C-alpha cells in the first residue's frame, strides 16, 4: 500500500479573541496516505477550514506534531512553510480566490512565478493547464468575465501549476449549482486517479460520496472515520 | 536568494500592471514628486545661472586684480542750493607713485574716463571714453576681435586712435569694415584701429562695476589728456538743475598682483597709502577675488536653502505615495492572502509593493525632470536671466525620488507582508 504523507499527531489549535480563548481543534490524530481521496464533513464552525489550513501549511497548530513527507513542518518558520506550500500544496477555495486584475493565464501561472520559473515556461504550462480544465478559448479573460464554474476551473488549474502532491479543496462546489459542481468533482476525481492526494471539505453528502473515505468533524474532534 | 535581473523585470512588470489599473489615482499620487523634482532642478538651475553671471562679471575684472576707483563723495557744500560747483576728488599722481612701489605689484594701469557722445558718419551713440595705457588690454583680459590695440609709440606720440567696444561697433557700423573708419568725440576725430570682442554682461545688475564695457572706447592716455584734460563736467538734474565741474586726476588704477595669495596684503598696503593721502574717502577699493569668494559663499547658502525646500517637497511627495500604498494594501488584502497561499514568501510581497512605489516615484521623478528642464528655459526667455541645468542636479533629484519611493514604500510593504495569510484570505 502507499506510504503515509500526512501525519497529524494530537493537533490543537487555539484562537485568542481578546481575553477569550477558543479551542477550535481539540487534539486531531490523522494519517493520510499518498493518492487517497478523503472528504471532510461537519457542521459549520466545527474547525474544518482550520484543519485544512494547517494541513496546507497556511496556518500553524498551537500544539501537536505534524509530519509532511516525514518533514516536521509544525516547527518550520514562515519562509520554509511558504516553500512547502509552493512545492507540495494546491489550494482550491469556495470563493475561487482569483486575482481580479490578472487574466486566466496569469492567474494560473502565479505559483510558478513564486518558484522563479521563467516567462516562457510559465506561459506554456499555463496554456497547457487551461486546456486540461477546458478553458483553452478563455486564456485572456479576466475572472470577472467568467462564470462561477469557469472560475473554479481556473482555480483548479492554478492549484495544479506547481505539480503538487496534495490538493486541498475547501467547499469547492459550495458556490456552484449541482450540475457544475458535479463537473468540478469529476475533474478533481480524475486528478486523484492520476495520483494526486485529494482532500475535499463539503456539506453535501453527494459530493462526499465521490470519495471512499469520509471524516466527520464535530466541535474540533474527529468523531468517526470510515 | 538569487536575484536575477530577469526576476526584477518581472516584479516591475507586475507592479506596472497594478499602477496602470488605477491611472488617475496613480497620476495624482505622483504629482508631489513631479513638482518636488521639477522645483529642485529649476531652482538649482536659476541659482547656478545667477552665480555663473556673477563669476563671469568678476572674472572680467580680473581675479588677480585690485581695482581702485575714484568716487565723488556727497559733500555738504554740494547739497546746498548752489547752481554751479567746482570741486576736486579722486586718485592723484602722488597715490600712483606710492602704490607703484608696493612689492608684488606686477603692473598698475591708470585710466581717466568720461561719458561722451560718439559720432560716426551715419549716426550717434553714447559711450564711455577710457584713456589708458597699452597694458590695459592684458590686465583686463580684453580680447581683440579685429584690428589691434594701441601701442606704446602711439601713446608716446598722443595719436588720435581709438579701440571700440563691440556694442559701439554694432550701433555705429552695423555692416562692413570698421578698422580705418573715423569717429568723432566732442569735436575731435579718432581713427578706429581695433574692436574688442563682446563681453558677457549681467542684466541682474550686480553691484560691482555697473558699466557695460561693450560701450567703452579706449584711447591713449596722453591723447585723452590733450583733448579732455582733467576736468569732469556734469549736469545734474536734482530738485535744482546744477552744473558741476570736478578736477579728477585719475578715475581708476587697475593693479595687477603677481600672486593670488598676496592680493589681500597688497590691498591693505594700498588702503594704508590712500587713507594717509586722502582726508575724505573719495576712493574705493574693489577686490574681485574677494567678491568671487563672497559670490561662492552666497551660492552655497542659496543652494542649502533651495535644497532644504526641495527636500521638504520631496518628503511631502513621499508621504503622498505612502498614503496611497497603505490604501492599496488594505484594498488588496485578499490578493495578498492568495499570493501567500500559492507560495509567496514575505520577501516576495515586500518586493512587490516596494516595486510599485518605486515605479510611482520614478515616473514622478522622470516627469519632474522634463518639467524641471522646461521651466528654466521659460524663465530665461521671459526674464533674460541665465539658467544653467547641471547634469548633477538631474542625477541628484532622480536618485532622491527613487530613494523616496523605496523609503516610503517599505512601511506599507512590510505591513502587507506581515499580514496573517489566514486573516488576509478571510478579509471581505
Ligand atoms: N482567525 C481566527 N480567529 C479567531 N477565531 C477563528 C479564526 N478562524 C476561525 N475561527 C473560529 O474557529 C472556529 C472554526 O472555524 P472554521 O475552521 O472556519 O470552521 P468551518 O470551516 O468548519 O466552518 C469558528 O468558531 C471560527 O469562528
Ligand atoms: Mg469553513
Amino acid at each position: 500500500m502507499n506510504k503515509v504523507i500526512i501525519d497529524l499527531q494530537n493537533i490543537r489549535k487555539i484562537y485568542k479573541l481578546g481575553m477569550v480563548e477558543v479551542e477550535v481543534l481539540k487534539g486531531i490524530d490523522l494519517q493520510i496516505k499518498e493518492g487517497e481521496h478523503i472528504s471532510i464533513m461537519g457542521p459549520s464552525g466545527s474547525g474544518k477550514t482550520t484543519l485544512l489550513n494547517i494541513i496546507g501549511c497556511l496556518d500553524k497548530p498551537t500544539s501537536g506534531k505534524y509530519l509532511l513527507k516525514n518533514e516536521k513542518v509544525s516547527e518550520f518558520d514562515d519562509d520554509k512553510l511558504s516553500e512547502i506550500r509552493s512545492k507540495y500544496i494546491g489550494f482550491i477555495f469556495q470563493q475561487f480566490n482569483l486575482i481580479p486584475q490578472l487574466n486566466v493565464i496569469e492567474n494560473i501561472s502565479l505559483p510558478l512565478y513564486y518558484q522563479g520559473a521563467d516567462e516562457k515556461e510559465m506561459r506554456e504550462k499555463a496554456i497547457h493547464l487551461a486546456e486540461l480544465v477546458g478553458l483553452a478559448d478563455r486564456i485572456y479573460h479576466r475572472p470577472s468575465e467568467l462564470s462561477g464554474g469557469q472560475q473554479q476551473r481556473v482555480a483548479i488549474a492554478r492549484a495544479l501549476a506547481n505539480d503538487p502532491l496534495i490538493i486541498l479543496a475547501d467547499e469547492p462546489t459550495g458556490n456552484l449549482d449541482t450540475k457544475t459542481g458535479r463537473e468540478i468533482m469529476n475533474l478533481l476525481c480524475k486528478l486523484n486517479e492520476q495520483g494526486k492526494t485529494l482532500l475535499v471539505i463539503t456539506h453535501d453528502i453527494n459530493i462526499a460520496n465521490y470519495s471512499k473515505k469520509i471524516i466527520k468533524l464535530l466541535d474540533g474532534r474527529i468523531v468517526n472515520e470510515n | 536568494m538569487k536575484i536575477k535581473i530577469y526576476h526584477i523585470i518581472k516584479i516591475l512588470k507586475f507592479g506596472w500592471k497594478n499602477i496602470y489599473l488605477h491611472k488617475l489615482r496613480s497620476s495624482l499620487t505622483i504629482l508631489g514628486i513631479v513638482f518636488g523634482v521639477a522645483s529642485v532642478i529649476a531652482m538649482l538651475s536659476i541659482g547656478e545661472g545667477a552665480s555663473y553671471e556673477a563669476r563671469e562679471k568678476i572674472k572680467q575684472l580680473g581675479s588677480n586684480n585690485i581695482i581702485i576707483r575714484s568716487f565723488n563723495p556727497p559733500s555738504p557744500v554740494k547739497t546746498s542750493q548752489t547752481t554751479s560747483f567746482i570741486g576736486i576728488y579722486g586718485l592723484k599722481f602722488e597715490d600712483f607713485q606710492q602704490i607703484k612701489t608696493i612689492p608684488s605689484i606686477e603692473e598698475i594701469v591708470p585710466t581717466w574716463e568720461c561719458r561722451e557722445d560718439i559720432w560716426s558718419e551715419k549716426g550717434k551713440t553714447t559711450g564711455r571714453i577710457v584713456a589708458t595705457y597699452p597694458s590695459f588690454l592684458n590686465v583686463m583680459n580684453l580680447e581683440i576681435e579685429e584690428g589691434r590695440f594701441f601701442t606704446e609709440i602711439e601713446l608716446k606720440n598722443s595719436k588720435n586712435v581709438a579701440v571700440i567696444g563691440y556694442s559701439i561697433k554694432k550701433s555705429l557700423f552695423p555692416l562692413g569694415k570698421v578698422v580705418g573708419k573715423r569717429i568723432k568725440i566732442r569735436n575731435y576725430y579718432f581713427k578706429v584701429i581695433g574692436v574688442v570682442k563682446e563681453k558677457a554682461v549681467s542684466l541682474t545688475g550686480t553691484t560691482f562695476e555697473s558699466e557695460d564695457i561693450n560701450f567703452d572706447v579706449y584711447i591713449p592716455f596722453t591723447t585723452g589728456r590733450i583733448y579732455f584734460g582733467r576736468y569732469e563736467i556734469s549736469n545734474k538734474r536734482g530738485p535744482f538743475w546744477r552744473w558741476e565741474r570736478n578736477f579728477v586726476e585719475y578715475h581708476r588704477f587697475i593693479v595687477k598682483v603677481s600672486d593670488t595669495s598676496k592680493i589681500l596684503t597688497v590691498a591693505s598696503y594700498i588702503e594704508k597709502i590712500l587713507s594717509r593721502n586722502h582726508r575724505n574717502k573719495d576712493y574705493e577699493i574693489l577686490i574681485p577675488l574677494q567678491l568671487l569668494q563672497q559670490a561662492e559663499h552666497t551660492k552655497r547658502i542659496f543652494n542649502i536653502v533651495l535644497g532644504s525646500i526641495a527636500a521638504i517637497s520631496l518628503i511631502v511627495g513621499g508621504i503622498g505615495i505612502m498614503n496611497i500604498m497603505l490604501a492599496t494594501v488594505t484594498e488588496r488584502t485578499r490578493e495578498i492572502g492568495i499570493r501567500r497561499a500559492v507560495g509567496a514568501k514575505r520577501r516576495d510581497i515586500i518586493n512587490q509593493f516596494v516595486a510599485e512605489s518605486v515605479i510611482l516615484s520614478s515616473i514622478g521623478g522622470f516627469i519632474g525632470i522634463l518639467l524641471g528642464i522646461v521651466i528654466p528655459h521659460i524663465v530665461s526667455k521671459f526674464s533674460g536671466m541665465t539658467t544653467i541645468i547641471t547634469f548633477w542636479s538631474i542625477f541628484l533629484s532622480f536618485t532622491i525620488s527613487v530613494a523616496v519611493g523605496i523609503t516610503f514604500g517599505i512601511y506599507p510593504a512590510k505591513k502587507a507582508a506581515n499580514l496573517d495569510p489566514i486573516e488576509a484570505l478571510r478579509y471581505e
Side-chain angles (χ1 to χ4, degrees):
Chain A
M1 194 52 202
N2 283 336
K3 59 180 189 285
V4 171
I5 51 167
I6 293 168
D7 185 1
L8 301 173
Q9 299 168 14
N10 196 20
I11 294 292
R12 287 168 190 280
K13 180 73 189 179
I14 297 168
Y15 283 117
K16 285 198 185 80
L17 287 170
M19 301 290 288
V20 190
E21 290 194 349
V22 189
E23 192 167 12
V24 179
L25 298 178
K26 299 171 175 167
I28 302 279
D29 289 294
L30 180 64
Q31 277 80 40
I32 297 170
K33 295 195 184 98
E34 190 167 1
E36 269 192 296
H37 176 183
I38 296 176
S39 298
I40 301 172
M41 294 191 75
S44 187
S46 57
K48 306 183 294 294
T49 299
T50 308
L51 178 61
L52 201 75
N53 286 341
I54 288 175
I55 292 173
C57 295
L58 206 54
D59 205 353
K60 285 172 89 169
T62 311
S63 69
K65 199 160 136 190
Y66 173 20
L67 297 172
L68 177 67
K69 285 203 82 185
N70 290 323
E71 289 190 85
K72 207 170 172 188
V73 294
S74 46
E75 284 169 14
F76 280 13
D77 65 8
D78 194 87
D79 273 6
K80 275 197 157 165
L81 289 176
S82 301
E83 266 169 37
I84 294 283
R85 291 199 293 276
S86 177
K87 242 162 66 187
Y88 298 132
I89 312 289
F91 273 106
I92 297 165
F93 306 92
Q94 181 177 359
Q95 304 90 336
F96 322 130
N97 276 348
L98 301 176
I99 296 179
Q101 68 267 34
L102 302 183
N103 66 28
V104 168
I105 332 187
E106 288 163 339
N107 264 295
I108 294 176
S109 59
L110 203 61
L112 296 170
Y113 172 78
Y114 290 114
Q115 287 183 336
D118 68 52
E119 193 131 8
K120 196 162 156 265
E121 191 187 331
M122 277 164 61
R123 206 186 140 73
E124 280 170 2
K125 191 143 192 195
I127 290 174
H128 170 74
L129 288 168
E131 282 167 3
L132 187 81
V133 299
L135 288 175
D137 53 345
R138 295 280 191 281
I139 54 175
Y140 295 115
H141 285 53
R142 293 275 162 93
S144 58
E145 297 158 359
L146 299 174
S147 72
Q150 287 169 329
Q151 288 189 53
Q152 198 58 301
R153 285 164 185 276
V154 176
I156 292 171
R158 180 180 67 192
L160 290 172
N162 55 345
D163 270 325
L165 279 175
I166 306 157
I167 293 177
L168 303 174
D170 191 348
E171 300 187 40
T173 59
N175 280 10
L176 303 173
D177 60 70
T178 321
K179 182 171 166 285
T180 317
R182 226 179 286 136
E183 284 167 19
I184 292 295
M185 280 316 293
N186 286 332
L187 184 56
L188 288 175
C189 288
K190 209 169 89 194
L191 296 169
N192 175 243
E193 279 157 25
Q194 288 164 7
K196 307 277 181 211
T197 310
L198 180 63
L199 263 73
V200 181
I201 294 177
T202 184
H203 285 296
D204 185 345
I205 188 66
N206 294 320
I207 298 293
N209 283 337
Y210 277 84
S211 67
K212 294 193 192 80
K213 188 168 167 184
I214 299 175
I215 292 171
K216 283 207 173 116
L217 221 63
L218 190 62
D219 196 21
R221 287 197 180 86
I222 294 175
V223 290
N224 84 314
E225 219 177 306
N226 55 18
Chain B
M1 195 180 107
K2 282 176 288 176
I3 293 188
K4 291 173 270 179
I5 297 271
Y6 157 76
H7 212 79
I8 292 172
I9 292 171
K10 230 164 43 169
I11 293 172
L12 292 179
K13 254 169 85 178
F14 247 139
W16 171 248
K17 233 186 193 129
N18 287 314
I19 287 162
Y20 191 74
L21 207 65
H22 304 282
K23 284 179 277 283
L24 179 64
R25 185 211 275 183
S26 304
S27 10
L28 291 177
T29 307
I30 62 176
L31 278 183
I33 298 283
V34 170
F35 290 128
V37 167
S39 63
V40 174
I41 296 175
M43 287 197 282
L44 286 180
S45 82
I46 290 166
E48 190 67 34
S51 95
Y52 171 80
E53 277 184 5
R55 283 199 308 270
E56 279 305 295
K57 194 76 194 168
I58 294 160
K59 265 192 215 143
Q60 275 174 26
L61 301 174
S63 52
N64 255 20
N65 290 352
I66 296 170
I67 293 161
I68 309 158
R69 204 157 53 178
S70 293
F71 162 70
N72 192 359
S75 77
V77 189
K78 282 191 290 181
T79 53
S80 65
Q81 297 172 4
T82 45
T83 53
S84 76
F85 175 83
I86 299 178
I88 175 167
Y89 78 91
L91 300 163
K92 293 174 285 191
F93 185 62
E94 177 191 19
D95 303 327
F96 178 73
Q97 283 201 308
Q98 289 173 13
I99 290 170
K100 220 165 80 173
T101 61
I102 298 173
S104 316
I105 288 186
E106 203 172 284
E107 198 122 38
I108 166 165
V109 186
T111 69
W112 193 91
E113 294 153 16
C114 59
R115 293 202 74 74
E116 294 292 341
D117 288 341
I118 300 154
W119 302 78
S120 73
E121 282 165 11
K122 303 234 170 61
K124 178 190 96 162
T125 185
T126 307
R128 179 171 69 163
I129 313 301
V130 179
T132 186
Y133 288 78
S135 48
F136 187 85
L137 179 75
N138 287 327
V139 170
M140 293 301 282
N141 301 317
L142 298 181
E143 285 172 279
I144 295 294
E145 174 151 302
E146 31 179 315
R148 58 179 177 82
F149 209 70
F150 56 78
T151 61
E152 289 290 341
I153 300 168
E154 281 162 333
L155 175 81
K156 197 177 267 168
N157 298 327
S158 313
K159 290 284 192 196
N160 290 16
V161 289
V163 177
I164 61 176
Y166 187 80
S167 302
I168 302 255
K169 176 205 155 178
K170 256 193 16 197
S171 58
L172 292 184
F173 308 97
L175 322 153
K177 247 169 57 96
V178 191
V179 175
K181 292 270 168 61
R182 264 159 220 289
I183 53 172
K184 191 179 80 173
I185 304 167
R186 290 196 192 162
N187 284 316
Y188 315 114
Y189 286 91
F190 290 82
K191 191 171 108 186
V192 177
I193 57 167
V195 179
V196 176
K197 261 195 191 151
E198 188 172 19
K199 283 275 192 173
V201 182
S202 161
L203 291 168
T204 40
T206 31
T207 50
F208 38 90
E209 201 76 30
S210 52
E211 287 288 338
D212 178 354
I213 65 162
N214 294 313
F215 277 99
D216 280 355
V217 174
Y218 306 102
I219 60 171
F221 192 82
T222 49
T223 315
R225 276 283 187 269
I226 294 170
Y227 295 118
F228 305 108
R230 288 175 170 82
Y231 280 99
E232 183 192 79
I233 301 159
S234 57
N235 300 323
K236 286 195 178 159
R237 279 179 210 282
F240 299 92
W241 187 86
R242 186 171 68 211
W243 177 82
E244 191 177 323
R245 206 170 140 88
N246 282 309
F247 182 94
V248 183
E249 181 86 47
Y250 301 108
H251 278 98
R252 278 189 292 171
F253 292 153
I254 291 127
V255 176
K256 186 172 186 181
V257 180
S258 59
D259 183 353
T260 314
S261 64
K262 302 262 168 58
I263 285 181
L264 291 182
T265 327
V266 172
S268 72
Y269 287 144
I270 293 173
E271 175 67 47
K272 231 175 266 168
I273 293 170
L274 292 178
S275 62
R276 200 183 326 121
N277 292 351
H278 295 251
R279 222 176 303 134
N280 291 338
K281 194 167 185 327
D282 55 358
Y283 60 88
E284 55 185 353
I285 300 173
L286 285 178
I287 307 167
L289 183 77
Q290 220 169 31
L291 296 174
L292 196 66
Q293 285 161 350
Q294 276 163 16
E296 288 296 328
H297 183 69
T298 316
K299 182 195 157 194
R300 214 169 305 134
I301 290 173
F302 195 63
N303 280 350
I304 289 171
V305 172
L306 290 187
S308 321
I309 294 172
I312 290 168
S313 64
L314 280 173
I315 288 172
V316 171
I319 292 170
I321 286 188
M322 180 150 95
N323 200 4
I324 282 301
M325 292 309 296
L326 284 172
T328 303
V329 168
T330 311
E331 203 180 81
R332 284 157 61 187
T333 299
R334 204 183 177 92
E335 174 189 328
I336 294 161
I338 296 168
R339 288 177 184 272
R340 298 280 277 131
V342 302
K345 293 181 183 161
R346 291 211 164 115
R347 246 288 43 106
D348 295 319
I349 303 294
I350 290 180
N351 287 346
Q352 183 191 342
F353 282 92
V354 169
E356 281 184 33
S357 85
V358 169
I359 292 171
L360 280 177
S361 69
S362 312
I363 294 172
F366 186 73
I367 298 172
I369 286 172
L370 297 184
L371 202 61
I373 291 172
V374 172
I375 290 173
H377 274 289
I378 295 171
V379 168
S380 290
K381 196 156 186 183
F382 288 101
S383 72
M385 261 193 262
T386 309
T387 55
I388 297 167
I389 296 163
T390 55
F391 168 76
W392 165 238
S393 70
I394 290 178
F395 177 77
L396 179 81
S397 50
F398 189 73
T399 311
I400 292 176
S401 63
V402 171
V404 161
I406 294 174
T407 315
F408 289 94
I410 276 183
Y411 175 68
K414 282 218 155 135
K415 221 180 132 172
N418 287 335
L419 286 172
D420 179 6
I422 304 289
E423 298 285 333
L425 279 170
R426 284 158 61 103
Y427 185 83
E428 292 303 322

